[in-house]
Amino acid sequence: GAPGTWSAWGACSTTCGDGDQTRTRACDNPAPANGGSECNPSDLTDTQSCNDGECPVNGGLGTWSAWGACSTTCGDGDQTRTRACDNPAPANGGSECNPSDLTETQSCNDGECPVNGGPGLWSAWGACSTTCGDGDQTRTRACDNPAPANGGSECNPSDLTETQSCNDGECPVNGGPGTWSAWGACSTTC
């Protein structure tokens, strides 16, 4: 017998990327008869490489970046790090990475914030510097509203003391003899 006509090529063994496809033919040109020999089986099958297109590559997560700067220079804040969808990058219609997997945020605190001092409540006025007549009296307040902390500035000392004039009454004036009048007439004429 002798091989006949080739069939059409069969489907590729893969739907994408490198594969193989086969075609066959029968031993019918003519078919063996009356003790004639069969065709060699290797003459009845033919195989070739095939590729119906590149396979999709789904994106994979890359390496995290370093953490970014804290959103505040002191006190509680947030910092973020990112990564790309490049391990591998999506290709040939492969899926992108989930955006929520590409960013990460955490709390941060680079130290307590400075607190500048503020003047508190005034004390009562102190005693007058004199017991009568014009004098002065003073009142004070502390730098405690709030107190300075973490390197914050102190209050201005001039904001912590206040002075005003006072007078608790006129001072006593003791009487004193005045000027003599002229001498009066003598009590006798001689």
Side-chain angles (χ1 to χ4, degrees):
T5 305
W6 287 111
S7 67
W9 285 104
C12 198
S13 60
T14 59
T15 57
C16 64
D18 294 332
D20 296 308
Q21 62 187 161
T22 303
R23 66 181 179 175
T24 60
R25 59 186 173 180
C27 186
D28 61 0
N29 185 28
N34 306 316
S37 64
E38 290 286 333
C39 299
N40 185 335
S42 64
D43 291 337
L44 302 179
T45 302
D46 189 19
T47 301
Q48 70 176 4
S49 297
C50 56
N51 186 319
D52 287 341
E54 292 303 310
C55 292
V57 176
N58 294 332
L61 298 170
T63 304
W64 284 113
S65 68
W67 285 105
C70 199
S71 60
T72 58
T73 55
C74 63
D76 294 331
D78 296 307
Q79 62 186 162
T80 301
R81 66 180 182 173
T82 59
R83 57 185 172 181
C85 186
D86 61 359
N87 185 33
N92 309 317
S95 62
E96 292 283 339
C97 299
N98 185 334
S100 66
D101 292 335
L102 301 179
T103 303
E104 189 173 51
T105 300
Q106 70 177 4
S107 298
C108 54
N109 185 318
D110 288 340
E112 292 304 310
C113 293
V115 177
N116 294 330
L121 298 175
W122 285 112
S123 67
W125 285 105
C128 198
S129 59
T130 59
T131 56
C132 65
D134 292 334
D136 295 308
Q137 64 185 161
T138 302
R139 66 180 182 174
T140 60
R141 58 185 174 179
C143 187
D144 62 0
N145 185 34
N150 309 318
S153 62
E154 292 285 337
C155 299
N156 186 333
S158 65
D159 292 336
L160 302 179
T161 303
E162 190 172 52
T163 301
Q164 69 178 5
S165 298
C166 55
N167 187 319
D168 288 342
E170 293 303 313
C171 292
V173 177
N174 295 327
T179 304
W180 288 110
S181 63
W183 287 106
C186 192
S187 58
T188 60
T189 56
C190 60

